């Protein structure tokens, strides 16, 4: 018997389909859109475009997590993120903050963010879980094995699905021990974070096994390099990041069909169309 997917996170929107989270990276160096929205007014404008395109959530981050990236200082991260969070929250966006730092999470929630997306699942900053509990906001915890400077050295698994599931279960236990209600927690397998392309594909095709954790699942496949590799040209040259959106939308449809709660994407309109197709398909198949 398969576990039924968990589909709701308390305090976040509840459309009758997989949610679509749009990405706003206020960074000079993210792999997917590095530098495009580094200026805060450009980032706000882009976030509002994502809302217009139908984003259920807008995820604002100020730290690039591309393999090898150096971390910004706390002050630098705050300066990048806070004006963008505040302006988007005023502009009717449902804003999540993508940060590993408790201090950034707190200030972003005070500025209007409604949830914290932590790619380290609470491992990077010991204050993160207690802070999120105190703030009373939903927490999106990703599978993580270390900072970007060293993470690809940690992409070694005997069984990637079993190990990611066990390591995510440990994060569920840590969050519960800190006092976070389970209905405020979503989990993410962390595609590309200490994962090879093969690991990513193995995780994507084993989402059923991650549903056994009993928490809603978030998946961030959009524009990642395993898609660039899949779509490489005849010379083996990877497809550039900004030309991976159709493949990203295909992954969104398949994730939605597999019961994923939310997909994190750069091109919101394409993925929203894709999850709507998956949702209509599933409804028809049930009736
Ligand atoms: N990927 C990136 C950043 N934040 N957050 C979650 N929850 N899941 C992800 O897969 C994830 C993330 C890196 O990708 P980007 O540079 O396109 O933002």
């Amino acid at each position: 018997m398969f576990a039924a997917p968990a589909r709701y996170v308390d305090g976040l929107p509840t459309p009758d389909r997989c949610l679509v989270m749009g990405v706003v990276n206020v960074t000079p160096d993210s792999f997917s859109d590095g530098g495009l929205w580094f200026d805060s007014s450009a980032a706000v404008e882009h976030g509002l475009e994502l809302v217009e395109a139908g984003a259920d959530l807008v995820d604002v981050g100020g730290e690039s997590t591309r393999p090898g990236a150096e971390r910004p200082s706390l002050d630098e991260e705050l300066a990048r993120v806070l004006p963008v969070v505040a302006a988007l929250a005023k502009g009717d966006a449902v804003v999540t903050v993508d940060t590993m730092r408790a201090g950034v999470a707190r200030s972003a929630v005070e500025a209007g963010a409604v949830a914290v997306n932590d790619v380290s699942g609470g491992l990077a900053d010991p204050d993160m879980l207690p802070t999120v509990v105190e703030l009373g906001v939903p927490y999106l915890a990703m599978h993580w094995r270390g900072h970007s400077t060293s993470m690809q050295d940690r992409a070694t698994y005997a069984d990637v699905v079993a190990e990611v599931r066990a390591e995510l279960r440990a994060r569920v236990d840590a969050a519960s021990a800190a006092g976070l209600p389970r209905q405020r927690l979503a989990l993410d397998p962390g595609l590309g974070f200490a994962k090879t392309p093969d690991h990513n594909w193995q995780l994507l095709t084993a989402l059923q096994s991650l549903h056994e954790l009993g928490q809603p699942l978030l998946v961030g496949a959009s524009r990642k390099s395993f898609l660039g590799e899949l779509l490489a040209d005849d010379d083996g040259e990877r497809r550039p990041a900004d030309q991976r959106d159709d493949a990203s939308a295909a992954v969104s449809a398949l994730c939605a069909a597999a019961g994923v709660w939310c997909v994190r994407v750069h091109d919101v309109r394409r993925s929203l169309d894709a999850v709507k197709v998956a949702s209509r398909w599933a409804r028809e198949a049930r009736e």
Side-chain angles (χ1 to χ4, degrees):
M1 186 62 186
F2 286 134
R7 292 182 189 271
Y8 302 101
V9 176
D10 255 17
L12 294 180
T14 54
D16 193 18
R17 54 164 171 73
C18 175
L19 273 73
V20 176
M21 169 191 273
V23 178
V24 179
N25 285 321
V26 197
T27 59
D29 55 349
S30 289
F31 77 93
S32 50
D33 51 10
L36 277 179
W37 327 115
F38 191 38
D39 168 69
S40 56
S41 53
V44 172
E45 200 178 313
H46 181 56
L48 294 173
E49 282 165 8
L50 297 180
V51 174
E52 182 69 27
D56 301 296
L57 306 169
V58 177
D59 192 40
V60 178
E63 173 171 357
S64 165
T65 46
R66 69 185 295 160
E70 295 292 336
R71 303 196 72 188
S73 68
L74 170 66
D75 285 347
E76 173 65 24
E77 191 182 341
L78 286 167
R80 291 179 186 179
V81 157
L82 291 185
V84 179
V85 168
L88 288 176
K90 271 205 200 85
D92 276 351
V94 182
V95 179
T96 59
V97 61
D98 184 346
T99 186
M100 291 184 257
R101 289 181 165 128
V104 176
R106 179 181 295 280
S107 299
V109 168
E110 285 164 4
V114 299
V116 176
N117 171 28
D118 177 1
V119 298
S120 83
L123 288 169
D125 184 341
D127 292 335
M128 181 60 99
L129 287 171
T131 299
V132 167
V133 171
E134 190 194 323
L135 292 169
V137 293
Y139 183 58
L140 318 177
M142 201 190 77
H143 176 261
W144 186 83
R145 283 188 164 183
H147 286 290
S148 302
T149 39
S150 63
M151 69 179 173
Q152 286 316 103
D153 302 340
R154 300 176 197 198
T156 52
Y157 304 84
D159 177 340
V160 67
V161 174
E163 287 168 56
V164 167
R165 190 178 52 208
E167 289 166 36
L168 282 175
R169 198 184 299 281
R171 303 325 302 151
V172 175
D173 293 345
S176 296
L180 187 78
R182 291 282 286 260
Q183 60 275 21
R184 255 190 247 148
L185 175 65
L187 299 174
D188 182 329
L191 302 180
F193 288 78
K195 319 279 180 330
T196 64
D198 281 349
H199 293 143
N200 294 335
W201 290 114
Q202 286 164 36
L203 286 162
L204 280 171
T205 52
L207 291 166
Q208 189 55 53
S209 162
L210 299 181
H211 286 315
E212 286 167 19
L213 293 164
Q215 300 302 130
L217 296 180
L218 167 63
V219 172
S222 179
R223 295 189 182 171
K224 287 194 174 162
S225 61
F226 74 110
L227 297 177
E229 180 186 277
L230 176 78
L231 303 172
D233 66 17
D234 291 345
D235 298 326
E237 195 68 37
R238 284 183 185 184
R239 178 81 64 84
D242 62 356
Q243 294 167 38
R244 300 173 188 164
D245 286 329
D246 293 315
S248 302
V251 176
S252 293
L254 291 164
C255 282
V260 162
W261 162 71
C262 180
V263 288
R264 181 182 181 279
V265 299
H266 302 84
D267 184 326
V268 164
R269 190 172 304 278
R270 275 190 179 93
S271 275
L272 187 57
D273 287 357
V275 304
K276 284 182 175 170
V277 170
S279 152
R280 182 68 183 85
W281 185 296
R283 182 150 56 91
E284 196 64 26
R286 271 198 309 270
E287 279 166 4

